[in-house]
C-alpha cells in the first residue's frame, strides 16, 4: 500500500477506538456505491454528451468547459490551462498527492456506429474512448468530493491533445501538473477485455513511437543505363529491407523493438530512374534505454546502406513519446484497487506497440496505467481507432470504482 497521505491518528486515553483501514475503505466504498446508484445515469449522460460533441487535439474548449462547469457546481476549484484546453483540480489534504489523468481529445475519423448519440461533427469522433476516460474521471472527482474525508490528496488531470505529437502531457507537466505529486495513474479503454475486467502489467505497457522520414534524390536516368546514374529505386529497396533487418540484429529482441515502413513513393514511368523518392515509417520499442539509442543507430545504418549507391538523402527522425513503463509498487496498488471489485476483475495484459503520452508524467514521478475492459462479451471486439468503435457503458462505473479504490486504499 501507499505510504503517502495521513497516518492514523493516535488514540488518547478513553477515546473511542479508531476505525481500522479496512473499515475506512469499506465505508468509503459503500459511499461510492451509493453515489453511483444516484448518479449512474448522469455518468452515462456525460459520456454520451462528450461522445456526440467531439473536439480535435488542442481544440477541446467546449469539453474543457463542460468538465469545469460540473466541478464548479460541486464546489471545487479547477484550474484551466492558459490555452483554454485542459484543466487540473485538487481535492483532499495537502501534501504529496495521487494524480489521476484522463485525456479528452477526439480523432479525425468519421463515425459509423449508428448510435443515437453518435458524433455530430463530420469527420471527427471519439474512436479511442477518451469520452469514457473523461467521464470516468469527472465522476471520480465528484464522488470523492462527496466524502467527508480522504486519506490522501488527489489531483485530477483532464488532459488535452493526447492524439498528437508533441502531446498535451508536455504542456501539463510544464504547467505544474506533477508538482507535489507522488504517484500518477490512468486507465485506457481496451476492447479485448470484457467490461468489468481490467488488465495490468509491471514494466512497459506501451511502446515508444518515433517517426522516420527519408527523402532521397539522384540525377535520374534511363533504366537501360543504371551505371551512368544513381539508381534511386534500388537504393530505396536497400533501405526498406536493410534498416529493419539490421536493427533486429543490433538490438536485443527482448526490448520489443520493431521498425515498419508505412509509405513509399518514387517515380512513375517503368523505363525511367526517378530523381526523387520518399520513405516513411515508424520505429517502436518497449525499452526506455533502447529508445535513447534508436536515433543515432538509425542514422548510422541508413548512411551505411546508402553510401555505396551514390544517392543523396535527408533523414528526418522525429522522436515521439517514451514507452509507458509501469512502476512495480504503483502497479501493485492498481492491482489491489482492481481486486477490490472482486477476484475475477483482474487480468494480465500484453504490451502494446502503440504510443501513449501518459509516459511523460512517468518521466517525473512513478505511476501505472491499466487497461479498462469495454467489450460487451458478445459480438466482434472492434479495435480502437476504427470508425465503428464503441464501448459497453457498464465499464464506466467499473472505472470509477477502480480509481476511487486507488484513493481510498492509500493509507
Amino acid at each position: 500500500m501507499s505510504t503517502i497521505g495521513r497516518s492514523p491518528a493516535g488514540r488518547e486515553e478513553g477515546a473511542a477506538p479508531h476505525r481500522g483501514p479496512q473499515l475506512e475503505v469499506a465505508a468509503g466504498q459503500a459511499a461510492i456505491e451509493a453515489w453511483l446508484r444516484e448518479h449512474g445515469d448522469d455518468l452515462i449522460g456525460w459520456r454520451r454528451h462528450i461522445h456526440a460533441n467531439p473536439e480535435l487535439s488542442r481544440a477541446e474548449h467546449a469539453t474543457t468547459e463542460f468538465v469545469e462547469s460540473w466541478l464548479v457546481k460541486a464546489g471545487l476549484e479547477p484550474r484551466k490551462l492558459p490555452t483554454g484546453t485542459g484543466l487540473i483540480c485538487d481535492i483532499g489534504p495537502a501534501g504529496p498527492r495521487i494524480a489521476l489523468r484522463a485525456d479528452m481529445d477526439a480523432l479525425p475519423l468519421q463515425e459509423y456506429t449508428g448510435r443515437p448519440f453518435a458524433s455530430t461533427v463530420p469527420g471527427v469522433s471519439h474512436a479511442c474512448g477518451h469520452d469514457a476516460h473523461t467521464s470516468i474521471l469527472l465522476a471520480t472527482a465528484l464522488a470523492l468530493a462527496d466524502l467527508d474525508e480522504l486519506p490522501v490528496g488527489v489531483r485530477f488531470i483532464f488532459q488535452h491533445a493526447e492524439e498528437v505529437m508533441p502531446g498535451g502531457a508536455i504542456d501539463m507537466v510544464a504547467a505544474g501538473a506533477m508538482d507535489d505529486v507522488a504517484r500518477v495513474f490512468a486507465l485506457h479503454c481496451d476492447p479485448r477485455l470484457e467490461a468489468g475486467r481490467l488488465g495490468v502489467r509491471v514494466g512497459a505497457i506501451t511502446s515508444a513511437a518515433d517517426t522516420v522520414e527519408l527523402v532521397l534524390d539522384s540525377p535520374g536516368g534511363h533504366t537501360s543505363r543504371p551505371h551512368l546514374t544513381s539508381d534511386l529505386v534500388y537504393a530505396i529497396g536497400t533501405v526498406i529491407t536493410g534498416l529493419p533487418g539490421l536493427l533486429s540484429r543490433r538490438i536485443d529482441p527482448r526490448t520489443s523493438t520493431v521498425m515498419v515502413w508505412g509509405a513509399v513513393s518514387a517515380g512513375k514511368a517503368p523505363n525511367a530512374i526517378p530523381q526523387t523518392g520518399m520513405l516513411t515509417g515508424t520505429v517502436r520499442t518497449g525499452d526506455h534505454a533502447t529508445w535513447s539509442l534508436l536515433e543515432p543507430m538509425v542514422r548510422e545504418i541508413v548512411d551505411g546502406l546508402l553510401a555505396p549507391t551514390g544517392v543523396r538523402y535527408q533523414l528526418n527522425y522525429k522522436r515521439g513519446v517514451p514507452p509507458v513503463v509501469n512502476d512495480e509498487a504503483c502497479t501493485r496498488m492498481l492491482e489491489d484497487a482492481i481486486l477490490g471489485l472482486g477476484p475475477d476483475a483482474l487480468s494480465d495484459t500484453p504490451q502494446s506497440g502503440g504510443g501513449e503520452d501518459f509516459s511523460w508524467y512517468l518521466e517525473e514521478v512513478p505511476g501505472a496505467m491499466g487497461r479498462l475492459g469495454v467489450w460487451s462479451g458478445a459480438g466482434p471486439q472492434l479495435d480502437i481507432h476504427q470508425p465503428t468503435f464503441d464501448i459497453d457503458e457498464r465499464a464506466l462505473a467499473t472505472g470509477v470504482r477502480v480509481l476511487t479504490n486507488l484513493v481510498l486504499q492509500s493509507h
Side-chain angles (χ1 to χ4, degrees):
M1 293 295 182
S2 169
T3 58
I4 63 177
R6 62 179 176 82
S7 300
R11 196 169 75 223
E12 296 180 2
E13 188 71 25
H18 177 74
R19 293 189 306 163
Q22 291 302 319
L23 283 175
E24 292 179 353
V25 171
Q29 289 173 329
I32 297 300
E33 288 301 318
W35 189 94
L36 284 169
R37 285 193 297 273
E38 183 177 354
H39 299 285
D41 289 343
D42 294 331
L43 171 56
I44 292 173
W46 297 334
R47 183 257 165 168
R48 293 183 178 185
H49 171 82
I50 296 169
H51 188 92
N53 299 278
E55 295 175 295
L56 293 174
S57 303
R58 304 195 186 281
E60 311 93 332
H61 295 280
T63 307
T64 299
E65 291 172 4
F66 178 80
V67 171
E68 181 184 37
S69 68
W70 280 100
L71 295 173
V72 170
K73 285 179 188 177
L76 303 179
E77 299 178 352
R79 307 189 305 279
K80 194 185 298 184
L81 265 64
T83 56
T85 60
L87 56 85
I88 297 167
C89 187
D90 291 347
I91 66 172
R97 297 180 175 274
I98 284 181
L100 304 175
R101 172 269 203 172
D103 36 17
M104 303 192 297
D105 54 332
L107 286 162
L109 192 67
Q110 183 68 37
E111 179 173 347
Y112 293 114
T113 64
R115 302 283 276 171
F117 50 87
S119 171
T120 59
V121 183
V124 182
S125 67
H126 273 292
C128 197
H130 294 187
D131 53 334
H133 303 167
T134 300
S135 304
I136 289 168
L137 192 61
L138 175 58
T140 299
L142 299 184
L144 289 174
D146 258 7
L147 301 182
D148 293 332
E149 186 179 16
L150 294 178
V152 64
V154 188
R155 175 162 297 156
F156 301 94
I157 300 172
F158 294 88
Q159 182 202 308
H160 58 301
E162 189 277 329
E163 295 287 0
V164 296
M165 291 189 292
I170 294 175
D171 303 334
M172 282 291 182
V173 171
M178 291 294 98
D179 294 351
D180 300 320
V181 168
R183 295 179 176 90
V184 61
F185 297 90
L187 299 178
H188 196 293
C189 290
D190 188 343
R192 295 163 298 181
L193 284 174
E194 197 167 344
R197 305 194 73 201
L198 294 97
V200 297
R201 62 179 287 123
V202 176
I205 194 170
T206 72
S207 299
D210 297 349
T211 301
V212 178
E213 179 186 78
L214 186 64
V215 181
L216 305 98
D217 73 273
S218 81
H222 200 287
T223 56
S224 66
R225 295 181 288 276
H227 59 292
L228 298 181
T229 185
S230 299
D231 190 342
L232 185 135
V233 173
Y234 178 85
I236 287 178
T238 299
V239 177
I240 286 176
T241 58
L243 180 56
L246 287 170
L247 281 175
S248 73
R249 297 303 183 269
R250 296 278 300 273
I251 294 174
D252 190 330
R254 293 172 296 181
T255 63
S256 300
T257 302
V258 60
M259 164 78 209
V260 178
W261 298 109
V264 56
S265 61
K268 294 181 180 179
N271 60 347
I273 295 172
Q275 293 177 300
T276 60
M278 179 180 290
L279 269 175
T280 56
T282 61
V283 57
R284 303 171 185 269
T285 184
D287 183 73
H288 201 287
T290 300
W291 184 54
S292 65
L293 302 175
L294 282 175
E295 180 175 359
M297 190 177 295
V298 166
R299 291 188 180 279
E300 176 193 342
I301 292 173
V302 168
D303 189 69
L305 289 169
L306 291 179
T309 70
V311 171
R312 298 179 296 271
Y313 74 91
Q314 177 180 330
L315 176 60
N316 302 315
Y317 191 102
K318 301 175 184 177
R319 297 191 86 198
V321 294
V324 172
V325 181
N326 283 348
D327 171 74
E328 182 170 3
C330 293
T331 303
R332 301 309 175 205
M333 290 177 63
L334 185 54
E335 287 177 349
D336 289 343
I338 295 168
L339 288 171
L341 277 61
D344 296 328
L346 181 64
S347 172
D348 292 330
T349 189
Q351 180 191 342
S352 167
E356 231 288 355
D357 80 349
F358 180 72
S359 55
W360 289 119
Y361 301 110
L362 302 184
E363 297 289 292
E364 307 294 323
V365 300
M369 170 175 277
R371 301 287 188 190
L372 175 69
V374 296
W375 179 47
S376 66
Q381 295 175 315
L382 298 172
D383 203 1
I384 57 175
H385 291 223
Q386 287 186 334
T388 51
F389 173 75
D390 199 5
I391 70 166
D392 184 330
E393 291 179 323
R394 293 176 297 174
L396 300 173
T398 299
V400 174
R401 292 184 180 103
V402 169
L403 293 184
T404 53
N405 278 353
L406 266 171
V407 176
L408 295 172
Q409 294 176 5
S410 296
H411 287 274

